[in-house]
Structure formats: structure tokens, C-alpha cells
Amino acid sequence: MREDSDVFLMGEDIAEMGGSMGVTQGLLDEFGPERVRNTPISEAGIVGAGIGAAMQGMRPVVEIMYEDFLTLSAEQIVNQAAKHRYMSGGQLKVPLTIRTQGGAGWSPGAQHAQQLEAWFVHIPGLKVVFPSTPTDVRGLLWTAIHDDNPVLVFEHRLLYPVKEEVPDELEPIPFGQARTVREGEDVTVIATGPMVHRSVEAAVEAEKNGVSVEIVDPRSLQPLDEEALVASVKKTNRCVVTHEAVTRMGFGAEVASVIQYQAFDWLDAPIERVGAKFAPLAFAPVMEQFIVPNSEDVLAAIYRTVGRDGN
Amino acid sequence: MAKVEAEQTGVSEQRLRDFLREMLLIRRFEEKVEERFRAGELPGFLHVAIGQEAVAVGVCAALEEDDVIASTHRAHGHTLARGTSPNALMAELYGKLEGCSRGYGGSMHLYDVERGNLGANAVVGGGLPAITGAALAFKFRKEPRVALAFFGDGATNIGTFHESLNLAQLWQVPAVFCLENNWWAESTPNKQHSPITDFTQRAVAFGMHSLKVDGQDVEAVHRTASEAIDHARRGDGPVLLVADTYRLVGHYIGDPQVYRPKGEQQELRKTEDPITKLREKLGVSDEDWEQLDAEITQEVEESVEFAKNGTDPQPEDALKNVYA
Ligand SMILES: Cc1ncc(C[n+]2csc(CCOP(=O)(O)OP(=O)(O)O)c2C)c(N)n1
Ligand SMILES: [Mg+2]
């Protein structure tokens, strides 16, 4: 925002309050209410206004407070933002960034914790990223804002407390570049968002039992770094795909398909998928925990691929 | 001490005393919820309606047994006023099977279908279209029932508000849209989210009848809500009922309210507490007050006991109820 006056923010409660998750704290003071625009509760309207401003050369960043409410702006994202470039035969561009957050594990109930990234990966014309660390958020958000296409940035609520040293100099992270979180020999775990961290826990456990686990975080789901994912599986010959979203028809289904097609002859075991069970998110913590995948679920899947029961 | 004239107001003193009891029950219940949340006993995301009790009580008392409501994220008051027991509500907040949503819903998703509560909604504006639809069903079947949606000032900015009111007016269904204007949408004050201050003007756009009332005066709320509900039930069309009220707490439990002018809430607590107002109107003696308060406090304590002794769902129960 300091470098480019075309960048501005819109969203509910992003000004004085600094966003419901505190992400935009301090920005009102520095950039003022014109560029840090508190909006009414109008998800379709603010995304649509972002599209219009973007087509006029601005670089808006719209915050949707919970990704569950992306559904309210879905028309504008899916039918408008994703399509204007194409329908105009390449005349228009929509350099719009939509930031949102979600995720379970704190019992808000069924309308505040869904993981809906797969819906948007399915739409040609959109780019989708899902960072899992502070460094990745920064680098990917930078790229999103500078990209000439509509980009959705998914943040996970439980990852806000994650802390790490970030380089002084901001390093943009190009889209379509996976990150190897951890190297290993026996199994590749392809994980997004919070499952990256849960997979690291699982990998540490597996290591104690002599199973060496490689973890790859695609970071950008669209475009997808197929090459890196396939290369890792060709090395380990086994694969677990995991995300917090519902397993069925989730992003992992696409990844599994990519792997089986491009690394079929290298696979020594069926690809395992770990995600949420097929139910809305229940309120009662015991039921919520049952639905949402955890590190033990990843560990069990790792052991299944190597034909071990973990004992 | 003021004696309330039944003829003048249409609300008997006994009825007002009942309202006082209900409002105080909601207040003490929500204070207990805050306390138990801070003690780490309650999971999830909670919003209390301290300051807005007169709207819930006055409006719900004007409904008939067969009428239905839809509520919001700030739903405890509506739910209790609609007749759900403190036990069933507290059990829900503790995630127990005895809860009014069987532990599946939580604070923002309180249901009690037997008592005509079609659900609290965590999506702002989420409940309005179905209230138009429920009213349409009543009209189809010629049932003398009314469907009523509670929602906040912030909800007037979302598409479903406009679409639902338009449809309801177009189809002349027996719906009442009860707007609780507490002047804030989370951290956003009205002047930052609405170009108009008088929300009854929203009804003008649809040619809809509208009424406005002081939401801190339970008697006025009850009278005006009765008028709105009767209007709808008679077949004269839907009504937008605007109740001006105050949120005497943060948006959610734990909200530091950095955005709120210092002292505003404390000042409003002194001048705009609907329970104090009613107590003064009725001239309730200290002795009677203390007795009432003690009874209610006891009832709320018991609801916590009931909830804690409730049944935890089995993890696998999570897979039930996904489909009918
Ligand atoms: C569609 C949608 N957008 C945003 C939110 C987040 N949110 C929850 S309550 C709220 C403010 C609602 O204000 P209002 O309708 O006035 O009700 P109040 O909280 O004042 O009772 C917001 C922005 C939401 N729940 N749903
Ligand atoms: Mg409000």
C-alpha cells in the first residue's frame, strides 16, 4: 500500500477494529478511511465493487470475514470476476485479491468453520492460494495483489498464532511453486493449511517408528505445482493427501488423480486421503473433533501406505 | 409509586410483572453464560443481548403458540422468550444431547421446533427468506399463523433483507420483520453502514407497512408488536417493525470494544437499561426485587447443573442428521 496508491482494502470491521482476526490492525491509522474502507454487511456488493474498481485499474483487496460468507459473494466471484477477461476476449483484466479465513477446531458450529477452497479451484479464471506459514502468507499475498487476475487467499484461523522469523526483505513467492516442508524417503504427505502442521507432528511420530516422511505444501492450489508433487512421490513411492476440508470431492481428489496418472508406475500403495468426514461441522466439541482430521489420522494413513499398523 | 392502568395501556400489571421476570431471567442467564465462558467451560463463539431483553420479551409475548420465529447470532433472549427452558438452552451451550439443538447447533444455531423456533442463524440475514417462505405456506394453507424474523440493523445491508421484504410484500404474506436497531453492526456504527438513520424508510421502497418503537420500553414493544402481528395475521400484509435498542455489552463475549467511544456503554447502562426502567415503572420494592432476583438466580444456577450433568454426544453421532 505504501508503494502503490492503487491498492486499497475493503471489508467488514477492518478499520477501527482491525478486522475480526486483527489482520488489518494499524492500517486505518496509516492509510486512512478511504483506503481502509469499513463496509456494510454486503458480501456480494463489496466483492462486486472490488471487481469494478479492479477493472478500472485499481488493485483492491477485499476481506470476507469468514469463508462461509464467500457463498454470499459466490455469484460475483464465479460468474463475474472469473469471467470478464474471457468474455471480453482478453480486453479486460480483474486484478482483485479476496482474503478470507476459516477453519474448525473452536466449536463455532456449522456456519463459521467450513473449508471451501475446492469450490473455487474448480473455476477457470480464478487463482487460489492457501498459505500455512507467516513467510508464505506474506510472499503469496504480495504476488496476489500484483497478479492481474482474481486471486483468493485462504487463511486458517488456527494458524494466526503461528510465529516464525521472517526475512527482513519481503520475498514474493511465485504462484505454482510447492514448498518441501520436510524431506523424507518412505512416504510423501501432500498437505495444505493446518494439515501441514498436523502432518509434521505425524511425521515426527512416524520417524520414531522408522518411517521417513516427506511433506510437501502446494501453497498455491491454482496454479498447481504438479511437477514437484509428482517428483516427490516418484522418490518415495507412496502418497497421503490431506486437507481439513471434507474429503469427498475435496482438493485432494484432484491431487490424487494427478499423482495416479503421472506416477502410476511408481506407486507401491493406494494413495491415502485424509480430510473431514462427510458432515457439517457439529457444535459439540466431541463431534467436531470426530469430523475434523488431526495428526493421528494422518499418522494412521502414513502407516497404511507402508503396510504397518504403527506398533 | 406508579400503578399501571390496564385500560390505558392494554397490558395488565400482572403481565408486566411477568415480563420483568422474563427479562431478568434472560439477563441473569446471559451473565451466567459470560461467566462460564470466561471460566473456560463453554466452547464456541457467543454473543449476548444484554440491553435488548425488552424486544425479545415484548415481541415474543405478542406471538401465538403456532407462530414461528427465526433468530440471529444473538439468540439467547429470543429463545428463552419463545419458551425454551433455561435448562435446554444451557445444555445446548454445553454441547449436550439435552440441548435444544441436541448439541449440534450451539449458541448461534438454537432451534426449538416444538416452540416455533425455526433456528438462530450465524449468517447475517440468513433467516429472513425462510420467514417469507413460512408465511407463504401459512397463506397457502389458510392457517391464521404469523412468521417473524428477528435481525439487526447491520442485516439491512444484505441482499436477503431486500429480497425477502420485497417478496413478502408482493405476495402479501403474514410475515413480520423485526429489526432490532442497536446502532452497531459489530464494530461498525450505523453512520458507517447506512446512509439513512430511520430504518422505517426501508419499508417505503416496498410499499410495506412499518412501525417503530422504543425497544427499551417493554410495554410499548409489546403493544406495537401486537399491532404488527395482528396486521399480518388479519391478512393486511407484512410489516417492518423497527425497535430502537441498545447493546450494553460487546459484540461478542470478550470483545474489547476498542472501536466504541469511551464511557458510552457505562452511560447507557445508567439511562437505558430496560430492566431498570420496568422495575421503576412498576415500583417494585427492594424486598420484592431481591426475592425475584434470588429465585431467578437459583433457576439459572440449576440450568448450569442440569447442563453439566447432561449427556455428551458420542463422536459418531456427528454423522447422524446429515440427511432426513
Ligand atoms: C453474512 C455475514 N457477514 C458477516 C458476518 C459477521 N457478523 C456477525 S454479526 C455481525 C454484525 C451484525 O450486526 P447486526 O445485524 O446489527 O446485529 P447485532 O450484532 O447488532 O445484533 C457481523 C458482521 C456474518 N455473521 N454473516
Ligand atoms: Mg446491530
Side-chain angles (χ1 to χ4, degrees):
Chain A
M1 290 180 84
R2 281 184 204 121
E3 279 170 26
D4 185 348
S5 59
D6 287 335
V7 178
F8 72 101
L9 313 184
M10 287 193 277
E12 295 155 19
D13 304 291
I14 64 165
E16 284 83 358
M17 195 177 182
S20 68
M21 298 296 133
V23 173
T24 53
Q25 260 168 25
L27 298 182
L28 175 67
D29 289 343
E30 181 167 354
F31 300 106
E34 289 291 321
R35 291 181 71 198
V36 181
R37 304 183 81 85
N38 230 19
T39 70
I41 308 172
S42 305
E43 279 80 3
I46 62 178
V47 167
I51 294 169
M55 292 193 299
Q56 295 306 319
M58 305 288 286
R59 293 196 173 268
V61 180
V62 174
E63 172 173 311
I64 298 296
M65 194 186 284
Y66 284 82
E67 65 188 79
D68 309 71
F69 313 149
L70 279 179
T71 58
L72 290 144
S73 30
E75 190 286 311
Q76 290 291 311
I77 300 172
V78 172
N79 297 322
Q80 312 298 334
K83 309 259 193 303
H84 283 314
R85 170 122 195 124
Y86 192 79
M87 296 191 299
S88 68
Q91 297 176 70
L92 284 169
K93 58 182 186 182
V94 186
L96 168 69
T97 301
I98 301 172
R99 286 184 42 247
T100 190
Q101 64 84 36
W106 59 292
S107 280
Q111 297 175 334
H112 269 69
Q114 297 171 82
Q115 295 274 277
L116 301 179
E117 68 279 2
W119 290 27
F120 299 92
V121 182
H122 192 62
I123 305 298
L126 301 178
K127 296 187 179 180
V128 179
V129 300
F130 193 174
S132 65
T133 66
T135 310
D136 285 355
V137 173
R138 191 168 69 154
L140 289 167
L141 186 58
W142 178 271
T143 305
I145 294 170
H146 290 84
D147 197 282
D148 280 340
N149 298 284
V151 182
L152 283 104
V153 180
F154 285 88
E155 298 163 15
H156 193 282
R157 182 187 171 101
L158 299 191
L159 297 184
Y160 288 122
V162 171
K163 287 203 167 44
E164 68 179 1
E165 286 287 327
V166 295
D168 289 339
E169 275 298 298
L170 190 152
E171 285 167 24
I173 298 171
F175 290 167
Q177 263 187 25
R179 179 170 61 91
T180 301
V181 178
R182 189 181 193 282
E183 294 199 21
E185 303 301 323
D186 303 327
V187 193
T188 296
V189 177
I190 300 170
T192 58
M195 296 314 292
V196 172
H197 302 269
R198 293 170 198 161
S199 298
V200 170
E201 289 169 28
V204 169
E205 274 307 304
E207 201 84 59
K208 292 181 193 159
N209 277 307
V211 181
S212 159
V213 179
E214 178 146 309
I215 300 174
V216 185
D217 176 357
R219 302 193 289 192
S220 117
L221 314 188
Q222 179 66 260
L224 180 65
D225 189 353
E226 297 185 7
E227 220 174 290
L229 308 185
V230 170
S232 174
V233 176
K234 283 183 176 174
K235 179 176 99 178
T236 64
N237 310 109
R238 294 175 187 84
C239 181
V240 174
V241 185
T242 179
H243 47 60
E244 190 183 283
V246 169
T247 305
R248 184 166 301 179
M249 292 298 284
F251 172 70
E254 178 66 23
V255 173
S257 160
V258 165
I259 301 293
Q260 80 82 25
Y261 192 75
Q262 296 185 38
F264 187 76
D265 289 336
W266 282 263
L267 283 171
D268 286 346
I271 300 167
E272 287 285 340
R273 293 170 61 199
V274 178
K277 298 193 174 64
F278 199 63
L281 288 155
F283 164 66
V286 282
M287 293 199 284
E288 193 200 36
Q289 282 156 20
F290 180 75
I291 294 169
V292 179
N294 57 29
S295 61
E296 283 152 35
D297 297 323
V298 178
L299 186 62
I302 290 170
Y303 286 146
R304 282 196 297 276
T305 63
V306 293
R308 295 260 295 269
D309 60 9
N311 297 319
Chain B
M1 291 287 161
K3 180 110 173 81
V4 179
E5 299 293 338
E7 307 79 49
Q8 216 181 345
T9 65
V11 185
S12 70
E13 180 173 340
Q14 186 48 50
R15 195 86 201 273
L16 288 178
R17 286 187 181 273
D18 293 345
F19 290 173
L20 182 67
R21 167 174 258 286
E22 264 187 73
M23 285 162 64
L24 190 60
L25 173 65
I26 294 170
R27 175 70 57 89
R28 295 289 179 252
F29 185 93
E30 293 207 304
E31 287 168 349
K32 182 57 74 179
V33 167
E34 285 192 322
E35 177 200 299
R36 294 295 89 203
F37 180 78
R38 289 181 208 279
E41 274 178 22
L42 298 177
F45 193 23
L46 293 141
H47 307 75
V48 292
I50 287 175
Q52 304 183 200
E53 295 89 347
V55 183
V57 169
V59 169
C60 288
L63 290 167
E64 299 291 336
E65 209 176 305
D66 284 341
D67 294 342
V68 296
I69 65 162
S71 175
T72 69
H73 54 286
R74 208 176 294 291
H76 307 148
H78 305 145
T79 304
L80 289 171
R82 191 64 194 141
T84 299
S85 72
N87 283 358
L89 178 51
M90 196 63 90
E92 184 60 31
L93 303 185
Y94 275 83
K96 304 291 181 170
L97 287 175
E98 291 81 1
C100 60
S101 307
R102 320 282 181 264
Y104 286 76
S107 171
M108 296 194 288
H109 310 285
L110 302 171
Y111 289 76
D112 191 343
V113 174
E114 203 184 315
R115 289 172 188 80
N117 183 346
L118 299 186
N121 216 300
V123 180
V124 168
L128 275 70
I131 283 302
T132 296
L136 178 64
F138 300 156
K139 185 174 176 177
F140 263 126
R141 296 196 303 245
K142 300 193 167 49
E143 294 169 353
R145 300 164 68 186
V146 171
L148 182 142
F150 286 105
F151 55 97
D153 46 293
T156 61
N157 299 312
I158 199 145
T160 52
F161 166 79
H162 299 270
E163 296 181 25
S164 304
L165 267 69
N166 189 55
L167 285 173
Q169 179 69 12
L170 188 65
W171 295 337
Q172 288 291 297
V173 299
V176 174
F177 298 95
C178 179
L179 196 178
E180 291 184 74
N181 172 29
N182 63 7
W183 309 99
W184 291 94
E186 197 155 340
S187 76
T188 306
N190 280 7
K191 63 175 188 311
Q192 264 186 42
H193 77 64
S194 176
I196 58 170
T197 46
D198 176 6
F199 288 105
T200 61
Q201 285 183 39
R202 293 282 183 213
V204 176
F206 309 109
M208 187 183 286
H209 186 51
S210 70
L211 293 165
K212 188 169 174 170
V213 68
D214 171 3
Q216 304 314 87
D217 177 349
V218 70
E219 189 177 359
V221 171
H222 184 257
R223 195 182 332 113
T224 313
S226 300
E227 196 183 324
I229 291 163
D230 290 349
H231 186 277
R233 201 183 311 278
R234 274 200 307 275
D236 289 346
V239 181
L240 174 63
L241 170 63
V242 179
D244 285 342
T245 182
Y246 294 97
R247 195 187 83 197
L248 301 178
V249 281
H251 172 64
Y252 57 91
I253 300 181
D255 180 1
Q257 300 195 73
V258 289
Y259 52 81
R260 204 164 181 176
K262 284 226 159 15
E264 183 200 85
Q265 183 179 306
Q266 287 69 14
E267 199 46 43
L268 287 171
R269 280 207 176 228
K270 282 184 218 145
T271 57
E272 292 294 346
D273 186 325
I275 296 177
T276 311
K277 285 186 172 192
L278 181 56
R279 184 187 161 184
E280 282 168 6
K281 183 181 218 166
L282 285 167
V284 178
S285 68
D286 288 350
E287 197 182 327
D288 286 357
W289 174 260
E290 272 154 32
Q291 191 186 334
L292 179 68
D293 203 1
E295 281 168 25
I296 287 170
T297 304
Q298 177 65 19
E299 196 178 340
V300 170
E301 279 304 336
E302 282 167 15
S303 76
V304 174
E305 276 314 297
F306 175 84
K308 286 185 178 173
N309 292 322
T311 320
D312 282 320
Q314 292 301 309
E316 300 77 25
D317 288 343
L319 301 181
K320 294 180 185 164
N321 292 319
V322 179
Y323 296 100

